[in-house]
Amino acid sequence: MTSASTAPAPASASKSAPEAESPSLSEGEQERLATAIDDLQAGARTWSALTVAQRVTLLRAVRTSVAATAEDWANTAAASKGLDGKHPLRGEEWLSGPYSVLGALDAYIETLSRLAKGVNPLDGLTIDRAPGGRTRVHAFPLTGIDKFLLSGFTGEVWLEPGITPNAARAGAGLAQRTPTESGGVGLVLGAGNVTSIPVLDVLYELLAHNRTALLKVNPTQDALVPVYKRALAPLVEPGLLRIVRGGPAVGAYLTGHPDLVHVHITGSATTFDTIVWGPSKGDGAAATKRRRRENRPQLKKPITAELGGVSPIIVVPGAWTGADLTYQAEHIATMRLQNSGHNCIAGQVVIMSSDWDQADAFRAALRRAYANAPERPIWYPGSPSRMELATDAYPDALVLGDRLLVEIDADDDAAALETTEYFAPVLGVVTVAGTGQEFLDAAVAHANDKLQGTLGANLLIDPATEKALGAGFERAIAALHYGSIAINSWTAFAFITPTLTWGAFPGGTIDDVGSGIGVVHNALLLDGVERSVLRGPFRPFPRSLPIANGGGRLTILPKPPWFVSARTGAAVSEGLTRHRANGGVVGLLKTLTKALQA
């Protein structure tokens, strides 16, 4: 994949069919949208006239306004999802909202500041080789505070085979290497589940492609529109961004508008296909089939998309302590239950070894962790019906309050679990045979061949087992065809790490989109990305101390604040966001003290 300008990106937006004229929109509504597009065309000329140094100044102004709205942003998002001010999981909205955006702005400011000085964004970074002759950029951590607070976590961006380190350096910067070349005006169909996604997608349009953006907010996020407008006022005022509300009719009008040169969507493959080809049901279904047969998409402009999928959690068997079993069970429960499972990257299928002598103990720990996580509303539209689909497919599944645990036995058919993205609190467990390298290779093949999508995969392995596998472990990671891979972490951590990339494994097309086309985030503005690989500590502090953990990664984090079982997660998440926004040693020390009580 070269730059993402010709491929599909994130999808979680309104279902819409692209037609320039929509009879369901009033003339006044069409005029309002046309005015917004005119403003953005003028804004595109303004953006092209700004030097890279001036763009840095503008991004700093955006950072200031985002920091000023952080509390309102997090509280509004939590309330919209049914989390009151005392709910133990309200911290999710601090981390997945303003914290993620502030981190991205800081990273983009650093990249553009380097470019403005004539310095390559990759200067000073470690660049080496990954399996298969790939170039690997060590992209996290890059700052002193990240090295301290997030010790034990590292991230790499792997480029497509054939791209050399010199070519990686030459391409770094994307559109900011040619700032006067306008990318026109693009449409961003915003995700409905995570509040930072629409903003991060807008920033990527502007910085990776020199495109001003019309953001159509998903109706589930309407309450955030006033917050977005305040937070992004420095982009709105000069016409670099316009934010509109609306349902499918607005989406249909905009995707077909001739003056919008590109579409980016975060959502579902069904929505993507409707935009590109037309409706699959109703009066237009026959015409859609004909267009597909004749390879005549109704969308005449490039599209990028992130469309989710069924994410695996591969549990590599080893000699785990009782504390390991408990901690990693809570880790998996978090991967599924954060945001009530309404995440494109929520772990859905645990792949275990049928030959692991600790399998029964781990299953028991997983049941406890899954059942004991705090209750919260299932709020995303359509999720209750998807829960019913899972219940119908697996009537013997374990019902634990507002969530479902499906443990596949030898006589069960795992197809529904492995091919349906439930986007709800449904977690499944399947098994493959073997231990060591035999199990790992079989689990990787199972994930690649059986599970729908290629967005993200998670893998848990203790330090001794990883060391014993040696080079075979890295070869297995290379064989895992996912756009984001998290080892002893969760891919959502990669999502909020701006210098890593986010998107499906390359290969999606408008005919068979899978988990999407193109990447976002990517604050180093790298070209030719294949995947990002995040590595974390198997054990938390203090069990991460080298003497105790057998050579694993040292971290100062006890139970991470994003764990649904972290007792002080809400306070720590808020504290980390406030520190990201405003700095300050006293507040950080208070936050770290809270973290130790997690």
Side-chain angles (χ1 to χ4, degrees):
M1 187 185 308
T2 57
S3 78
S5 59
T6 59
S12 185
S14 59
K15 294 182 178 180
S16 46
E19 297 181 7
E21 298 295 331
S22 176
S24 57
L25 285 186
S26 69
E27 186 173 323
E29 288 176 304
Q30 293 188 34
E31 288 180 359
R32 175 176 61 89
L33 296 173
T35 298
I37 294 170
D38 289 344
D39 292 344
L40 289 166
Q41 289 182 313
R45 294 189 290 272
T46 299
W47 182 249
S48 296
L50 295 179
T51 65
V52 175
Q54 289 171 325
R55 295 174 182 189
V56 170
T57 301
L58 180 62
L59 290 179
R60 288 185 174 133
V62 176
R63 190 193 191 285
T64 298
S65 58
V66 169
T69 61
E71 182 171 0
D72 192 18
W73 182 330
N75 289 340
T76 301
S80 73
K81 297 179 181 182
L83 305 178
D84 63 31
K86 296 182 179 180
H87 197 285
L89 299 180
R90 69 187 185 282
E92 293 176 358
E93 299 310 316
W94 286 88
L95 290 181
S96 65
Y99 180 92
S100 297
V101 173
L102 288 165
L105 287 165
D106 287 341
Y108 282 128
I109 287 169
E110 174 62 21
T111 294
L112 267 66
S113 295
R114 286 178 166 229
L115 290 167
K117 297 173 184 176
V119 177
N120 192 285
L122 300 186
D123 280 4
L125 275 65
T126 299
I127 303 175
D128 59 15
R129 289 295 193 173
R134 295 169 172 85
T135 292
R136 171 171 56 189
V137 178
H138 292 261
F140 178 84
L142 300 180
T143 67
I145 192 65
D146 283 343
K147 290 175 183 177
F148 172 65
L149 289 178
L150 298 170
S151 56
F153 292 88
T154 58
E156 311 149 9
V157 178
W158 293 18
L159 304 183
E160 292 183 323
I163 297 178
T164 65
N166 284 339
R169 292 185 181 93
L174 295 180
Q176 297 313 301
R177 297 167 57 238
T178 54
T180 61
E181 296 181 11
S182 174
V185 182
L187 171 65
V188 172
L189 297 173
N193 59 330
V194 174
T195 63
S196 63
I197 293 178
V199 179
L200 295 174
D201 290 350
V202 163
L203 290 174
Y204 199 68
E205 286 290 286
L206 192 61
L207 299 172
H209 306 299
N210 280 337
R211 278 196 291 267
T212 56
L214 178 61
L215 168 62
K216 193 198 83 64
V217 174
N218 188 290
T220 63
Q221 307 238 3
D222 277 353
L224 270 295
V225 169
V227 176
Y228 287 153
K229 288 184 175 179
R230 293 201 310 276
L232 303 175
L235 300 180
V236 174
E237 289 163 3
L240 308 180
L241 170 66
R242 288 291 181 266
I243 303 171
V244 299
R245 294 181 174 94
V250 171
Y253 175 81
L254 293 174
T255 53
H257 199 287
D259 293 334
L260 296 174
V261 301
H262 181 273
V263 177
H264 179 83
I265 173 176
T266 296
S268 70
T270 299
T271 303
F272 177 91
D273 287 343
T274 299
I275 291 171
V276 174
W277 300 102
S280 60
K281 298 178 181 179
D283 294 340
T288 298
K289 287 183 178 180
R290 185 170 62 252
R291 277 191 292 271
R292 275 191 174 276
R293 188 170 59 249
E294 298 172 356
N295 194 27
R296 291 187 301 103
Q298 68 175 3
L299 185 70
K300 306 301 182 185
K301 61 194 69 172
I303 181 170
T304 54
E306 186 264 276
L307 308 173
V310 175
S311 294
I313 307 164
I314 298 173
V315 180
V316 182
W320 293 14
T321 67
D324 293 338
L325 295 170
T326 297
Y327 178 79
Q328 295 300 350
E330 293 178 3
H331 199 173
I332 291 175
T334 296
M335 295 181 195
R336 181 71 258 180
L337 296 178
Q338 200 268 1
N339 198 25
S340 203
H342 308 320
N343 289 330
C344 59
I345 201 59
Q348 182 166 305
V349 176
V350 180
I351 304 176
M352 291 176 53
S353 168
S354 56
D355 298 317
W356 187 22
D357 58 7
Q358 293 182 287
D360 289 343
F362 187 68
R363 285 176 181 269
L366 182 57
R367 293 184 199 112
R368 286 193 300 271
Y370 199 61
N372 291 339
E375 291 189 3
R376 60 171 299 160
I378 297 174
W379 64 271
Y380 201 81
S383 291
S385 63
R386 286 188 289 273
M387 291 284 289
E388 290 179 10
L389 286 176
T391 301
D392 291 343
Y394 302 103
D396 296 329
L398 189 60
V399 179
L400 301 168
D402 59 352
R403 57 205 66 153
L404 205 65
L405 181 61
V406 182
E407 298 189 58
I408 298 295
D409 294 325
D411 297 331
D412 295 328
D413 183 356
L417 176 69
E418 295 179 333
T419 60
T420 306
E421 183 186 9
Y422 287 114
F423 213 70
V426 178
L427 179 67
V429 181
V430 302
T431 59
V432 299
T435 59
Q437 194 71 49
E438 178 189 10
F439 166 80
L440 182 55
D441 291 343
V444 167
H446 189 99
N448 285 342
D449 299 339
K450 301 289 188 180
L451 273 58
Q452 185 272 325
T454 63
L455 182 60
N458 312 278
L459 189 147
L460 305 177
I461 183 169
D462 67 90
T465 301
E466 181 178 345
K467 184 177 180 180
L469 292 176
F473 179 74
E474 289 297 309
R475 288 196 298 270
I477 296 303
L480 195 54
H481 288 173
Y482 287 81
S484 181
I485 298 171
I487 302 163
N488 291 331
S489 186
W490 177 28
T491 45
F493 187 111
F495 169 88
I496 68 171
T497 302
T499 47
L500 298 183
T501 58
W502 191 249
F505 193 79
T509 66
I510 61 171
D511 299 300
D512 183 11
V513 69
S515 286
I517 307 171
V519 299
V520 288
H521 304 186
N522 188 24
L524 294 172
L525 298 176
L526 299 171
D527 202 3
V529 169
E530 181 184 64
R531 72 181 91 189
S532 286
V533 178
L534 174 72
R535 303 171 195 260
F538 180 72
R539 298 182 175 103
F541 181 84
R543 293 192 302 114
S544 64
L545 293 173
I547 294 175
N549 73 3
R553 290 169 166 243
L554 176 64
T555 180
I556 68 165
L557 275 181
K559 187 175 293 183
W562 54 87
F563 270 41
V564 293
S565 53
R567 290 177 296 178
T568 58
V572 174
S573 298
E574 178 179 344
L576 289 174
T577 306
R578 291 189 184 279
H579 178 73
R580 171 69 76 177
N582 305 311
V585 174
V586 175
L588 179 59
L589 290 176
K590 291 180 179 178
T591 298
L592 292 177
T593 301
K594 284 283 187 183
L596 291 173
Q597 301 167 0

